[in-house]
Each structure stands twice: as C-alpha cells, then as structure tokens.
Amino acid sequence: MKKRNKVILTILFLTFTITFFSSCFVVNANNISSRGFVRGANTDRVIETKDLSIKKTKKIILMDNFITMNYDRQIITNSKVNTIYKDDELNEYVFQENVLTGFIKNIDYPELSNEEVNQASFKSKIASYKIKIPNYRTLADVTAQSLLPVGTDLNDYTLISENFVESYQEYSYNYVKMIGNYRTNDSVTVNIDVNGQVTSFLTTDIGEFDSIEANTINDEMVENFVNNQMISLHGNNVEYTIESKEIGKYNSQNVINVYVYYVAEDGLFSSEVITMYL
Amino acid sequence: MKKGLYLIVLFTIMFLGLQQVNASGRFDIHYREVSGEVSRYPTYSQITGYLSNMGYTAQGYNFVSAGTAYQNMKSASGFVIHMHGDAGRQAMANNTYLVGTNGNGFASKAISDMLYNDLWGMKIAIYYGCSTGDTTSIYGDIAQETVNKGALAAVAWKVTTYINEVNEWNRLFFEKAQSDTIVESYRHADYWLRNNIGNVAGDRMQNNRTERGNIYVKIV
C-alpha cells in the first residue's frame, strides 16, 4: 500500500511538472514569435521589430526631469521608423530620427469590482471631471508648443478636438495643421490627467506638408477621382458619402486620404479609404 | 486516512495550477472576408497568438448568420465581431442581425431575449460594425444588453469604422490585454493607433466608443 502510494505520488508529480513547464515553453515561444513579424497585406504599414544595432541606453531631459531609458523595439509604419525606449517605470518614449515625438506614461489602474464601478459616487466623480475640459487647455497649449521645433508656432495649428476620455480619465487635446479645408496628419496630441499631469503626448508629421499650397488642391479633381474609384470598386450604382478628407503620407509621398461610407449590397453601411497621390 | 487526504489536497493544488496555465475558454471572432472589400481577416489572425498566451483558444468565423453567432456566444469567454453594421445593429450573413432589443427570433436575434445568465462566462464583447454603438428606440443598446446578460464588459462604436483602423486597434488592444486591464488596453490601443495609422484614426477610435460594464478588470 505504502509503495503504491509512492508510485501514484511520483506519477502525479511528474505529470504536473511536465504539464506546467511545457505550458510555460508554449507561452514563451508565442512571445518570441509575436515580435518581428510582418502583418497581412492590408496592415503591412505596421511592422514591429527589434534592431540589435541600436544604442541600448539613452538619456534625455524632459519636463525638467533627467531620464535614463533603455531601447525596447522599433515600429515601422508606411513612412516612418519609430524607435521606442522605456525607462525603469516602463514609461515609453518614441523617437523618429533621434527626435522625441512621443511619450506615454505607464499607469497601473486599480482593479475594481462591479459594485465599485456601479456606485453613483463613481459615476458622478467622472461626470464632474468632464466639465473641466477647458481648465487644462493652457497647460495643453504650453506642452504642445514645447514639443514643436524652434520656429514653429502653435498658432498655426487648429485645436480640432478637446475631449475627456471617460474610460481612462484623461483630457485629450488635439492640434492639427490645416491646409485650406483639409485636415493634415501634421498634429500634436497632449493628454492630461485629472490632477494636471501630462500623461502622454504625440507629434505626427510635423512640418511635412508645409510646402503644399492650398490653391494647388483641386476639390473637383479629388471628388472625380473618388467617384471613379468607388465605381470601379463597387459598380455604377454605388451610393456613397464623403465623410472627411485628410492630407497624409503613404510610402513617404504626400497623399489625400478620402474617408467614404457607402451602402453595401446588404443595405447597410460599409466604408472605404480612397488614397490619391498629390 | 491521512495519506488519502494528502493525495486529495495535492491533486486539488495540481488541478488549480493547471487551470492557470492552460486554455481557460474560447474567444469567438467573427469577420467578413469578401472580394471588393479590404480584408477583415487580420481582426482574427493577428490576435490568435495573444489569445493563446492568455490561455484562450481563438475560433474564427467568416460571415456566419446571426443564429450561429448568438448560440455560440453563450459558451464563449470573449466575442469580437468585425462586419457591417448600422445604428444599434450588427449585420451577419444572409441578411440576419444581432440587436440589443426587439428581435424577431429569426433574422433578428436580440441579446435581450437571452436568459439573465447566458453570458456569465463572457469577459468582453467587442462590436466593430459601423454605428453599432448608437442606441435606437427599436434595437436598444447592444453593448448594455450584452452586459445585462452577464458579460463583464462590452464596447461598440458610434461612428463609421474603417477596416484597417479596426484591424490595428484590435491588435493593439489584445497586445496589451495579455497582461493588463481593459482600460489600460483601451489607452494603449488609442495611443499607438494614432502613432501607427494616423491622427484621424486615433481621434475616431478614441472619442466615439460606447463602453459598458466593468473595464477595470483583466480579461486573462
């Protein structure tokens, strides 16, 4: 009996050990394979990789703080290489050609129970934050201006949206450079928490479209291009609406992205982005 | 007697240990792959590795009817759907729909017609169809109805959604959700979408969500 128990215990112990460690290896293998792979044809604009030749550590001064950070990864989009560093607190810093273009503070939100989330006091607290959107606009302006290169004035940008993001309780201010009626991807976004701390910022394509003159964009030509594309994609009877137009980059060239929704064959709405080289 | 008890305790500990590292459920991911439209398949293919790391199996469905989705979601730990939509309703194959309320039991399946605990095993439901986050007097609030039937959280968008933006936001969301809470995953996806795809995409996906349930939890 004693011997049998020992055998059973040994078998159970071995089964547990093998299962546990083999599961760990599967998890690790997946982690490794998820780095450095190229996504499908429709999202080939985003490649995440790790370049071992990049400098391992970097030191910067940001908002009066001296920060040491370690290289983490690269994100290659359709026209930009973003090099990401992390500091000891896991805050992330984005660099393009050695220029700081982004920062996102690592925030660990407390886990809450359903009861806590459903309390009236929790909901009313969020509602009270919402009305304070204008309070932090000056801080957002100052931060946004400090992120722009010397000689670039925030007054050349339009504050296109200011929101309170209820889920993570941050005020989000988004400044965009316009060319005529066209929004561009030349932008600065600043997020600020309810205590007035900057929690993230991001600049995109700063100054990239300054050489484009508004009067060189022919609206009629753009709309004709969209019309031809929509007919070739969805047939002569396609019913569509242009929702918005934006000047951006694709393969390092200036383009107009036209956002269109249309009535699909099932009678419901679908969407399309028509990209036209400038 | 003592040894028998010892064996039971040991077996229980082992069982609990295995539960933590092995698959703990299934995520249903619905997409629509048709010629003439940009592929929604990455909504499924890009997150299978992340879900596996989290201990879930990923079940992809290419354009099935509402009845199939409705039945299967009752046993799913997560539900992601990226197909056509309009105000308050999520389109499925063969002109069928998932709606919040006022279904007809056939072409239109209402979440409100489920039993109160049918979705108790569900951690999150994500409806990416255009305008499914709008509440209407007929179809109700599909995200809220999903939470009412037991899902921890549900989210839908109140605007026209664009396929590439959804594919990438979805990937970023699950990249973070492997180790962090839903709210942290929203924040991560919003920020990096703006960097990776563009400012317009960032605004659209960040500022137009209908979020229901408890987002201050992990879905692992």
Side-chain angles (χ1 to χ4, degrees), chain A residues 2 5 8-9 12 16 19-20 23 27 30-31 34 39-40 42-43 45-46 48 73 75 77 82 84 92 94 96 102-114 117 122 126 160-161 163 165-170 172 174 176 183 185 187 189 191 199-202 204 234 243-244 246 259-262 264-266 268-273, chain B residues 3-4 6-7 10-11 13-15 17-18 21-22 32-33 36-40 42 46 49-50 52-53 63 84-86 89-92 95 97 130-131 152 159-165 167-168 171-172 175-176 178 180-181 183-184 186-188 190-192 194-201 203-204 206-207 209 211 213-218:
Chain A
K2 224 175 180 183
N5 272 354
I8 292 170
L9 269 174
L12 286 172
F16 171 71
T19 314
F20 179 79
S23 300
V27 169
N30 282 332
N31 281 338
S34 66
R39 295 193 186 86
N42 302 299
T43 44
R45 300 173 0 146
V46 183
E48 201 166 311
R73 66 192 188 280
I75 299 172
T77 62
N82 302 273
I84 320 299
E92 294 180 282
V94 188
Q96 287 176 2
F103 156 77
I104 178 164
K105 185 179 169 66
N106 177 45
I107 301 173
D108 290 320
Y109 291 79
E111 289 194 52
L112 302 175
S113 66
N114 289 357
V117 171
F122 183 80
I126 291 178
I160 205 155
S161 64
N163 291 287
V165 186
E166 288 189 29
S167 51
Y168 40 89
Q169 298 174 28
E170 287 180 6
S172 186
N174 188 14
V176 165
R183 175 177 176 163
N185 197 46
S187 73
T189 307
N191 277 22
T199 51
S200 71
F201 59 73
L202 184 70
T204 58
H234 302 290
E243 191 173 53
S244 61
E246 179 224 20
Y259 297 89
V260 176
Y261 63 85
Y262 66 97
E265 84 294 337
D266 57 5
L268 299 183
F269 292 115
S270 191
S271 57
E272 200 76 65
V273 185
Chain B
K3 277 179 186 166
Y6 175 67
L7 275 176
L10 183 73
F11 188 77
I13 291 169
M14 281 171 51
F15 180 74
L18 291 177
V21 291
N22 282 342
R32 180 186 163 143
E33 192 73 351
E37 285 193 276
V38 177
S39 178
R40 294 178 179 86
Q46 291 186 144
Y50 299 141
S52 172
N53 291 347
F63 202 41
H84 291 172
D86 69 4
R89 63 179 178 161
Q90 177 65 65
M92 306 295 297
N95 295 318
Y97 307 92
C130 295
S131 306
L152 269 180
V159 288
T160 305
T161 53
Y162 288 85
I163 297 171
N164 276 353
E165 295 173 9
N167 286 340
E168 181 64 359
R171 183 191 72 78
L172 291 162
E175 178 181 64
K176 187 72 170 171
Q178 291 176 104
D180 293 278
T181 58
V183 63
E184 286 156 357
Y186 281 168
R187 184 169 178 263
H188 175 84
D190 289 347
Y191 183 83
W192 291 105
R194 195 181 292 275
N195 183 74
N196 297 355
I197 300 289
N199 190 268
V200 169
D203 259 8
R204 185 168 14 244
Q206 174 186 281
N207 297 329
R209 283 195 286 270
E211 300 166 358
N214 185 358
I215 57 172
Y216 303 94
V217 288
K218 290 180 181 173

Side-chain angles (χ1 to χ4, degrees), chain A residues 128-261:
Chain A
S128 72
Y129 291 145
K130 207 171 180 175
I131 57 172
K132 293 179 183 168
I133 293 172
N135 294 15
Y136 295 107
R137 199 179 295 148
T138 306
L139 174 60
D141 285 351
V142 171
T143 308
Q145 178 64 69
S146 73
L147 296 167
L148 295 172
V150 176
T152 304
D153 191 342
L154 187 65
N155 289 323
D156 294 335
Y157 289 73
T158 302
L159 180 64
I160 205 155
S161 64
E162 47 181 340
N163 291 287
F164 180 65
V165 186
E166 288 189 29
S167 51
Y168 40 89
Q169 298 174 28
E170 287 180 6
Y171 301 95
S172 186
Y173 302 85
N174 188 14
Y175 305 84
V176 165
K177 196 174 267 187
M178 304 290 290
I179 296 177
N181 295 323
Y182 287 76
R183 175 177 176 163
T184 73
N185 197 46
D186 180 344
S187 73
V188 189
T189 307
V190 177
N191 277 22
I192 296 169
D193 70 14
V194 294
N195 301 312
Q197 297 294 311
V198 175
T199 51
S200 71
F201 59 73
L202 184 70
T203 61
T204 58
D205 290 341
I206 298 296
E208 295 274 355
F209 312 106
D210 288 356
S211 61
I212 300 171
E213 301 275 347
N215 58 15
T216 61
I217 303 170
N218 183 330
D219 275 347
E220 201 180 322
M221 197 174 78
V222 173
E223 281 165 22
N224 284 339
F225 180 83
V226 170
N227 191 50
N228 291 338
Q229 292 297 312
M230 288 302 289
I231 287 171
S232 82
L233 287 167
H234 302 290
N236 286 327
N237 297 324
V238 63
E239 290 174 43
Y240 66 89
T241 304
I242 293 176
E243 191 173 53
S244 61
K245 299 176 218 164
E246 179 224 20
I247 295 172
K249 289 271 178 192
Y250 190 77
N251 290 336
S252 303
Q253 292 190 56
N254 294 337
V255 295
I256 297 178
N257 291 313
V258 183
Y259 297 89
V260 176
Y261 63 85

